[in-house]
């Protein structure tokens, strides 16, 4: 067998070990990974707790906006109903869509990942537990505040996609739209934090021997999901920033009378918005692929093909965004390309569906609650997929666009593709986190009510739409023959609600959260999450030799529990996990993990406060929250990146691993590179906006700033990158005294500030203001992005200086310095590109 | 990195093809160059697929994970080849 890292795979043969483990080893492990109690729950960072909180919070939002949907259905049952006034109805449907997409669907699939992945990969925890805690609390606190806007009549009312000009200041002068734009800011941060955690977790913390070939299909789904978030979310981050800049400072990105274009928003939004559907669907598909094999009591048919389908979906879904814009008058050829891609994306979905059908066909499925939900999801998703292919055809889309046909289509896709699999997952994995499984009897009642209700609600909507009823109307006139289908839809909605209520009763009766006394492997799953676990995940980390290790090695659970594999105790007396290589999962080093801390919680509360207070124009408290949030983040980071006394430790069977690694092999490096990809994508979308506005509104463009300004700007950026890299180089030199690496880095960060300062000064001198035209707005948006990076670079310089003064920048290599250098070098490159690009286009 | 590149080669080529077509159609809306460029880009990307298939086929003797990666990569290249042709068809019929 080939090796990826120099690790000898023959060493795996030493496991399971034979010798008895010392009795105090397990006690020490339990003490290190002890349970939080009372107020300590706010400081918990362990994935069992954070994952559970996350799932519960996402489900709470599902219930809250589900109730909104029922009220809307009552309003629409018959013509000219007066249950909801027009303005309130607008807020209801906007909140329903926004919360379902941003506060329920994406967080829920991320939450399930946080809960399941470490167990499935047999890692002690995800690699950045405090980041998980931060992501959860920012989402939860901010989400509650966002939802509460409804009670004050301040909820957004422009639809979940918030199209300008309707959401511009001219038509939405209140702060309702700002609640959407700033309110989901923290959700975007939270989603990206979670994605970084999941990508690094899947690639670097798999159990030894779990090669790509043996990686659970759910882990594949979550890997693609994470990458898709990293690519897609920057687009909506930029879009929301631009629209908020237009609303707050009159920068006309979307105002066609001043060189902007309202369609730019649609491009930015849907470049995120359509992949978002697959971001929600893929993890659910991963769950289904895991469950279907166990429930059919056979192996998954076409494992490799399903992985292929995930990868294909991940790519092709980025080529379909403009199918939401077929009616906007795009060039015919472009429309043809997007139509073709929209049909093509059904191929990987079809691969998955046929694999599941084949697995069920050759297996011996029992029709228990999770199987029913799974089958119900399959049927519903296929119907939604077929109507999706219908609306991918341009002539049909022109007829059905903005009608209830589309409402029916998207609910079939999302409920069939995500909600039913989620319920199946609840029934299937509850025994992993609860001391009692959920009830089969109540589960079946819940399924039949929700499934029947779903079909009754949304099947007639196809007809309602084809009969001409538009979306987003709060009422309609009698005599259009829409009454019958609307009455049926409302009855169906309440049947669905009853199904969810039965599920809640089941939860109340049977769900008892536990971390160490779970009901066990009720359905006979073959993957590692069904090993006996505590807060430390598995007692020892097994060597993985197949896709379903528990099916192929009946003694695995006993050997793992007896500590006969990797890391049977704590090698350093701290929380730790094994970091493995990305392809073949060969052990590389022992990661020391941070423990409970209040700082991620406080940072999250302050982050949410920053956004929410800014929305209600409480600027000083908002900035105070922002500053406190930064302080809290720095304080939480202060505890990290501290090498321990033992440089190399025994991780079992005499295999020794280092406890501190720097450079491209470290998990921190991977996280920083992913973060830079996020920033890079924001920049790319900013460049797209700049070029797009130039392309559609060239007559508004004036002569750009003088090219001569580059004579100062480019050397400054060159110095920034060079000095930062030099500081890393000099750290390895023990004798360096005068130009310490910290000073060099500080000079690099200052050079970055000089570069962006000179660029802004140069544009100011050119006479172009950001509110003058689309050109001004887009140029200053790019400059603002660079200024934000320079600000972070200066913060990093201060942080490194503080660590240096306490002797925490260890030689010859140090992760904190490495990551800051990477950031500043990237920022310098982006700054140089910004300066050149904005000067060569236009005029 | 080479394994990832091989695994994703088909889809990377599809992505290049799609965005190149989008840029060409946007740069020359409704004009003949957008159609010629579509044909040219499609042929180049199909050549890329053929090249990647030949590279992947070289590892016929691989075993374990390498063989798995190669199999998925070849399936992906096949799928991408079809998708690229499909994606280029609008230039013939629109």
């Amino acid at each position: 067998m080939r090796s990826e890292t120099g690790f000898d795979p023959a060493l795996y043969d030493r496991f399971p070990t034979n010798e008895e483990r010392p009795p105090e080893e397990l006690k020490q492990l339990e003490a290190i990974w002890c349970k939080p109690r009372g107020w300590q729950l706010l400081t918990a960072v362990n994935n069992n707790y954070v994952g559970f909180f996350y799932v519960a919070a996402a489900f709470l939002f599902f219930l809250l906006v589900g109730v909104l949907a029922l009220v809307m259905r009552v309003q629409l049952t018959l013509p000219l109903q007066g249950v909801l006034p027009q303005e309130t109805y607008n807020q209801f449907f906007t909140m329903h869509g926004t919360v379902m997409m941003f506060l329920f669907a994406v967080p829920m699939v991320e939450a399930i990942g946080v809960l399941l992945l470490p167990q499935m990969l047999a890692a002690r925890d995800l690699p950045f537990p405090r980041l998980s805690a931060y992501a959860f609390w920012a989402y939860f606190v901010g989400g509650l505040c966002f939802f509460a806007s409804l009670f004050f009549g301040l909820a957004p009312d422009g639809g979940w996609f918030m199209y300008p000009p309707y959401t511009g200041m001219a038509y939405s002068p209140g702060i309702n739209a700002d609640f959407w734009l700033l309110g989901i800011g923290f959700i975007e941060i939270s989603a990206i934090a979670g994605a970084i955690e999941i990508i690094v977790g899947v690639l670097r913390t798999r159990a030894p021997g779990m090669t790509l070939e043996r990686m659970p299909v759910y882990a594949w789904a979550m890997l693609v999901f994470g990458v898709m978030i990293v690519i897609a979310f920057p687009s909506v981050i930029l879009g929301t920033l631009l629209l908020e800049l237009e609303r707050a400072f009159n920068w006309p990105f979307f105002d066609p009378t001043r060189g902007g274009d309202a369609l730019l928003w649609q491009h930015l939004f849907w470049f995120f918005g359509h992949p978002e559907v697959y971001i929600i669907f893929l993890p659910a598909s991963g769950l289904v692929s895991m469950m279907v094999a166990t429930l059919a009591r056979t192996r998954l048919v076409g494992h490799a093909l399903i992985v292929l389908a995930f990868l294909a979906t991940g790519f092709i879904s980025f080529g379909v965004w403009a199918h939401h814009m077929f009616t906007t008058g795009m060039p015919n050829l472009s429309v043809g390309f997007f139509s073709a891609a929209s049909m093509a994306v059904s191929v990987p979905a079809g691969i998955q569906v046929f694999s599941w059908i084949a697995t069920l066909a050759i297996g011996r499925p029992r029709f228990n609650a999770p199987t029913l939900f799974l089958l119900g999801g399959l049927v519903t998703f296929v119907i939604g997929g077929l109507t999706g292919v219908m609306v991918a055809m341009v002539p049909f889309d022109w007829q059905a666009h903005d009608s209830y046909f589309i409402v029916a289509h998207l609910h079939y896709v999302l409920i069939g593709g995500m909600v039913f699999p989620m319920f199946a997952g609840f029934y299937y994995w509850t025994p992993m986190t609860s001391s009692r499984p959920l009830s089969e009897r109540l589960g079946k009642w819940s399924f039949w009510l929700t499934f029947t209700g779903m079909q009754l609600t949304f099947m007639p909507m196809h007809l309602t739409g084809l009969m001409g009823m538009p979306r987003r109307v709060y009422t309609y006139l009698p005599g259009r023959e829409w009454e019958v289908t609307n009455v049926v839809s409302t009855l169906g909605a309440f049947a669905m609600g009853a199904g969810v209520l039965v599920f809640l009763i089941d939860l109340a009766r049977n769900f008892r959260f536990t971390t160490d006394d779970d009901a066990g492997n009720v359905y006979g799953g073959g993957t590692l999450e069904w090993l006996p676990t505590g807060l430390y995940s598995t007692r020892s980390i097994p060597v993985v030799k197949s896709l379903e290790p528990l099916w192929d090695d009946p003694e695995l659970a006993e050997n793992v529990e007896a500590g006969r594999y990797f890391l049977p105790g704590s090698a350093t007396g701290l929380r730790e996990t094994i970091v493995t290589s990305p392809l073949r999962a060969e052990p590389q080093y022992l990661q020391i993990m941070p423990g409970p801390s209040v700082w991620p919680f406080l940072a999250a509360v302050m982050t949410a406060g920053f956004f929410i207070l800014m929305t209600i124009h409480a600027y000083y408290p908002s900035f105070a929250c922002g500053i406190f949030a930064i302080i809290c983040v720095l304080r939480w980071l202060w505890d990290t990146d501290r090498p321990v006394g033992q440089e190399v430790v025994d991780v079992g069977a005499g295999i020794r691993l280092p406890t501190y690694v720097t450079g491209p092999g470290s998990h921190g490096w991977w996280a920083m590179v992913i973060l830079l990809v996020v920033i890079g994508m924001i920049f790319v979308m900013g460049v797209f906006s700049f070029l797009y506005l130039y392309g559609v509104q060239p007559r508004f463009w004036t002569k750009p700033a003088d090219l001569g300004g580059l004579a100062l700007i480019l050397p400054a950026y060159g110095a920034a990158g060079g000095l930062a890299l030099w500081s890393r180089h000099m750290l390895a030199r023990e004798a360096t005294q005068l130009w310490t690496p910290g000073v060099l880095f500080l000079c690099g960060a200052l050079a970055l500030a000089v570069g962006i300062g000179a660029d802004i000064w140069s544009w100011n001198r050119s006479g172009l203001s950001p509110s003058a035209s689309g050109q001004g707005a887009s140029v200053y948006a790019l400059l603002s992005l660079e200024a934000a990076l320079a600000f972070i670079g200066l913060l990093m310089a201060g942080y490194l200086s503080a660590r240096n003064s306490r002797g925490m920048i260890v030689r010859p290599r140090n992760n904190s310095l490495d990551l800051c250098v990477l950031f500043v070098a990237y920022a310098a490159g982006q700054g140089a590109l910004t300066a050149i690009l904005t000067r060569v286009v236009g005029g | 990195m080479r394994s990832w590149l091989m695994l994703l080669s088909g889809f990377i080529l599809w992505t290049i093809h799609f965005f190149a077509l989008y840029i060409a159609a946007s740069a020359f809306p409704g004009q003949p160059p957008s159609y010629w460029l579509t044909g040219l880009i499609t042929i180049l990307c199909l050549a890329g697929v053929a090249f990647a298939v030949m590279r992947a086929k070289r590892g016929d003797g691989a075993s374990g994970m390498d063989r798995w990666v190669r199999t998925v990569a070849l399936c992906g290249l096949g799928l991408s080849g079809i998708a690229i042709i499909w994606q280029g068809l609008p230039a013939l019929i629109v």
Side-chain angles (χ1 to χ4, degrees):
Chain A
M1 194 192 292
R2 277 175 54 197
S3 171
E4 182 185 358
T5 61
F7 179 85
D8 181 6
L11 292 173
Y12 291 146
D13 296 338
R14 295 182 182 181
F15 300 102
T17 53
N18 293 320
E19 70 271 20
E20 285 294 311
R21 304 305 309 174
E24 67 276 11
E25 195 176 63
L26 181 59
K27 284 184 186 152
Q28 187 200 21
L29 199 60
E30 285 168 344
I32 291 168
W33 294 86
C34 61
K35 287 182 187 176
R37 298 188 190 284
W39 289 102
Q40 289 176 340
L41 283 170
L42 298 178
T43 69
V45 296
N46 181 264
N47 80 292
N48 289 281
Y49 282 94
V50 173
F52 172 65
F53 294 164
Y54 225 145
V55 170
F59 197 71
L60 172 69
F61 286 117
F62 171 74
L63 295 176
L64 289 174
V65 289
V67 171
L68 299 190
L70 290 180
V71 181
M72 286 191 291
R73 279 312 321 163
V74 172
Q75 166 68 15
L76 292 174
T77 309
L78 292 168
L80 301 177
Q81 292 277 84
V83 178
L84 287 174
Q86 184 177 357
E87 294 77 9
T88 313
Y89 183 88
N90 290 349
Q91 294 184 17
F92 268 45
F93 80 69
T94 302
M95 286 300 274
H96 175 75
T98 303
V99 173
M100 279 294 187
M101 295 303 268
F102 288 104
L103 290 174
F104 161 63
V106 175
M108 178 59 90
V109 290
E110 232 168 41
I112 295 174
V114 169
L115 192 62
L116 284 184
L117 276 175
Q119 268 80 349
M120 210 175 265
L121 306 175
R124 292 262 186 259
D125 203 331
L126 285 169
F128 307 102
R130 290 186 177 181
L131 192 63
S132 290
Y134 171 79
F136 165 70
W137 288 112
Y139 148 75
F140 183 57
V141 176
L144 284 180
C145 296
F146 179 65
F147 186 80
S149 65
L150 200 58
F151 301 116
F152 302 95
L154 294 174
D157 54 5
W160 89 278
F161 33 67
M162 294 289 286
Y163 283 168
Y166 178 65
T167 50
M169 280 307 264
Y171 301 102
S172 295
I175 63 170
N176 303 56
D178 301 313
F179 254 108
W180 194 95
L181 295 169
L182 291 172
I184 65 161
F186 54 82
I187 301 167
E188 291 157 353
I189 292 173
S190 171
I192 285 174
I196 291 173
E197 175 86 312
I198 284 167
I199 295 170
V200 181
V202 170
L203 288 176
R204 302 305 308 277
T205 62
R206 304 200 301 273
M210 190 186 278
T211 60
L212 292 184
E213 180 193 10
R214 296 171 191 156
M215 198 160 100
V217 72
Y218 177 67
W220 270 108
M222 292 309 288
L223 178 62
V224 178
F225 157 88
V227 173
M228 287 180 72
I229 283 191
V230 164
I231 304 294
F233 266 65
S235 182
V236 74
I237 290 175
L238 182 80
T240 51
L241 282 173
L242 300 191
L243 187 49
E244 191 54 36
L245 285 171
E246 176 171 300
R247 289 176 56 84
F249 303 117
N250 195 26
W251 293 15
F253 298 100
F254 308 108
D255 178 359
T257 63
R258 287 187 288 155
D261 186 10
L263 283 185
L264 171 62
W265 168 267
Q266 295 198 25
H267 281 291
L268 291 175
F269 184 84
W270 289 116
F271 189 79
F272 144 81
H274 200 84
E276 162 91 336
V277 175
Y278 296 97
I279 284 171
I280 294 165
F281 167 65
L282 280 186
S285 171
L287 293 177
V288 170
S289 303
M290 297 292 288
M291 286 185 283
V292 73
T294 305
L295 296 171
R297 292 180 283 175
T298 185
R299 293 184 196 275
L300 180 67
V301 174
H303 171 265
L305 288 176
I306 287 192
V307 172
L308 177 78
F310 288 163
L311 296 172
T313 306
F315 278 85
I316 300 177
S317 64
F318 283 99
V320 299
W321 80 90
H323 76 206
H324 295 267
M325 302 164 62
F326 281 161
T327 57
T328 59
M330 290 188 302
N332 281 347
L333 195 55
S334 297
V335 168
F337 293 147
F338 284 107
S339 177
S342 303
M343 292 182 210
V345 80
S346 62
V347 173
I351 291 174
Q352 292 164 69
V353 167
F354 282 112
S355 287
W356 300 332
I357 292 172
T359 307
L360 288 165
I362 66 162
R364 291 169 292 124
R366 282 169 293 203
F367 290 93
N368 45 29
T371 311
L372 288 175
F373 273 110
L374 195 146
L375 286 170
L378 192 62
V379 170
T380 309
F381 177 72
V382 168
I383 296 172
L386 290 175
T387 53
V389 177
M390 289 164 74
V391 291
M393 289 183 274
V394 183
F396 184 87
D397 183 78
W398 285 342
Q399 299 303 315
H401 187 83
D402 256 352
S403 76
Y404 260 84
F405 187 91
I406 302 297
V407 179
H409 157 67
L410 71 93
H411 281 90
Y412 265 92
V413 170
L414 293 173
I415 295 177
M418 187 267 172
V419 177
F420 282 140
M422 175 193 76
F423 277 109
F426 283 165
Y427 277 91
Y428 181 83
W429 274 288
T430 288
M432 198 191 88
T433 54
S434 164
S435 52
R436 293 214 299 253
L438 295 177
S439 156
E440 270 297 315
R441 190 169 57 89
L442 288 175
K444 285 177 181 170
W445 270 101
S446 174
F447 167 73
W448 285 112
L449 280 167
T450 46
F451 181 75
T452 311
M454 152 74 210
Q455 307 304 329
L456 277 176
T457 309
F458 296 106
M459 187 62 85
M461 275 189 198
H462 292 108
L463 294 175
T464 319
L466 292 176
M467 288 191 291
M469 182 162 168
R471 300 169 70 177
R472 297 185 288 266
V473 289
Y474 83 106
T475 191
Y476 49 92
L477 292 170
R480 306 228 172 158
E481 300 182 355
W482 299 340
E483 287 90 342
V484 174
T485 49
N486 270 304
V487 167
V488 175
S489 288
T490 303
L491 291 174
F494 277 89
M496 270 182 91
V500 175
L501 189 63
V502 171
F503 175 73
L504 287 176
I505 292 168
D506 198 358
L507 276 185
R509 287 185 53 178
N510 292 307
F511 185 83
R512 301 290 179 270
F513 178 70
T514 181
T515 55
D516 50 12
D517 181 31
D518 56 58
N521 195 356
V522 172
Y523 297 102
T527 38
L528 297 182
E529 77 272 24
W530 296 112
L531 286 169
T533 55
L535 280 175
Y536 44 79
S537 189
T538 52
R539 160 76 196 278
S540 57
I541 300 176
V543 176
V544 175
K545 295 176 180 168
S546 70
L547 260 176
E548 291 94 3
L550 268 66
W551 289 353
D552 298 324
D553 180 0
E555 291 172 7
L556 186 70
E558 186 191 331
N559 285 328
V560 164
E561 188 65 351
R564 294 183 188 130
Y565 282 100
F566 279 100
L567 213 58
S570 172
T572 62
L574 299 166
R575 293 188 179 202
E576 57 201 18
T577 195
I578 294 177
V579 173
T580 50
S581 61
L583 291 174
R584 296 173 193 278
E586 293 167 357
Q588 286 191 292
Y589 67 96
L590 195 69
Q591 180 199 344
I592 309 299
M593 313 194 86
S597 166
V598 75
W599 298 110
F601 169 73
L602 292 177
V605 172
M606 293 298 158
T607 307
F610 171 74
F611 283 108
I612 298 293
L613 290 169
M614 183 169 285
T615 309
I616 59 171
H617 298 178
Y619 295 117
Y620 290 118
S622 167
F623 287 127
C625 279
I627 291 166
F628 276 120
I630 291 170
I631 291 169
C632 292
V633 170
L634 292 177
R635 180 61 189 81
W636 125 33
L637 291 174
W638 190 258
D639 297 333
T640 61
D641 192 27
R642 296 187 179 200
V644 292
Q646 306 105 299
E647 288 185 9
V648 179
V649 290
D650 186 340
V651 292
I655 296 170
R656 296 175 69 77
L657 293 179
T659 57
Y660 191 73
V661 165
T662 58
S666 74
H667 61 287
W669 182 283
W670 281 60
M672 177 54 87
V673 168
I674 297 168
L675 180 65
L676 292 180
V677 172
V678 172
I679 297 169
M681 277 305 298
I682 295 176
F683 176 66
V684 167
M685 298 316 290
V687 169
F688 167 79
S689 306
F690 173 78
L691 295 175
Y692 179 87
L693 291 182
Y694 177 61
V696 297
Q697 300 271 34
R699 65 198 171 90
F700 285 91
W701 285 55
T702 57
K703 188 169 176 291
D706 190 7
L707 271 172
L710 293 177
L712 174 61
I713 297 164
L714 293 185
Y717 284 134
L723 286 166
L725 291 168
W726 194 22
S727 72
R728 183 170 186 263
H729 175 71
M730 292 304 281
L731 186 68
R733 299 197 172 190
E734 293 285 346
T736 302
Q737 293 291 329
L738 185 58
W739 290 95
T740 66
V743 173
L744 287 174
F745 185 87
L746 178 64
C747 292
L750 286 171
L752 198 60
V754 169
I756 183 61
D759 206 356
I760 292 172
W761 176 74
S762 164
W763 276 98
N764 256 327
R765 275 193 55 201
S766 77
L768 182 69
S769 80
S771 56
S773 66
Q775 180 192 17
S778 54
V779 166
Y780 278 90
L782 289 171
L783 294 176
S784 303
L785 179 61
E786 183 60 24
L789 298 188
F791 173 70
I792 296 169
L794 288 170
L795 276 179
M796 285 175 163
Y799 175 71
L800 284 179
S801 300
R803 286 185 81 93
N804 203 21
S805 69
R806 297 298 172 97
M808 290 159 65
I809 304 292
V810 293
R811 294 168 191 270
R813 286 274 178 259
N814 178 263
N815 275 317
S816 297
L817 181 70
D818 272 2
L819 305 188
C820 293
V821 165
L822 207 55
F823 183 89
V824 168
Y826 167 82
Q830 181 176 310
L833 273 176
T834 301
I836 295 167
L837 181 77
T838 50
R839 281 169 176 76
V840 297
V841 176
Chain B
M1 188 51 82
R2 273 176 52 193
S3 294
W4 287 111
L5 204 58
M6 184 199 286
L7 188 66
L8 302 176
S9 53
F11 302 116
I12 292 170
L13 283 163
W14 179 87
T15 306
I16 292 169
H17 179 253
F18 177 82
F19 283 96
L21 295 194
Y22 173 63
I23 291 168
S26 303
F28 305 100
Q31 297 167 37
S34 61
Y35 292 84
W36 306 336
L37 282 169
T38 299
L40 182 66
I41 294 163
T42 302
I43 289 166
L44 286 175
C45 287
L46 285 175
V49 169
F51 177 73
V53 168
M54 282 192 295
R55 294 272 304 187
K57 292 279 277 181
R58 275 190 211 165
D60 271 347
S63 61
M65 194 200 77
D66 294 325
R67 192 173 63 181
W68 184 85
V69 167
R70 199 179 65 91
T71 305
V72 176
L74 283 170
C75 290
L77 282 161
L79 190 62
S80 297
I82 296 167
I84 285 170
I85 294 169
W86 171 251
Q87 197 67 57
L89 282 180
L92 295 179
I93 57 178
V94 175

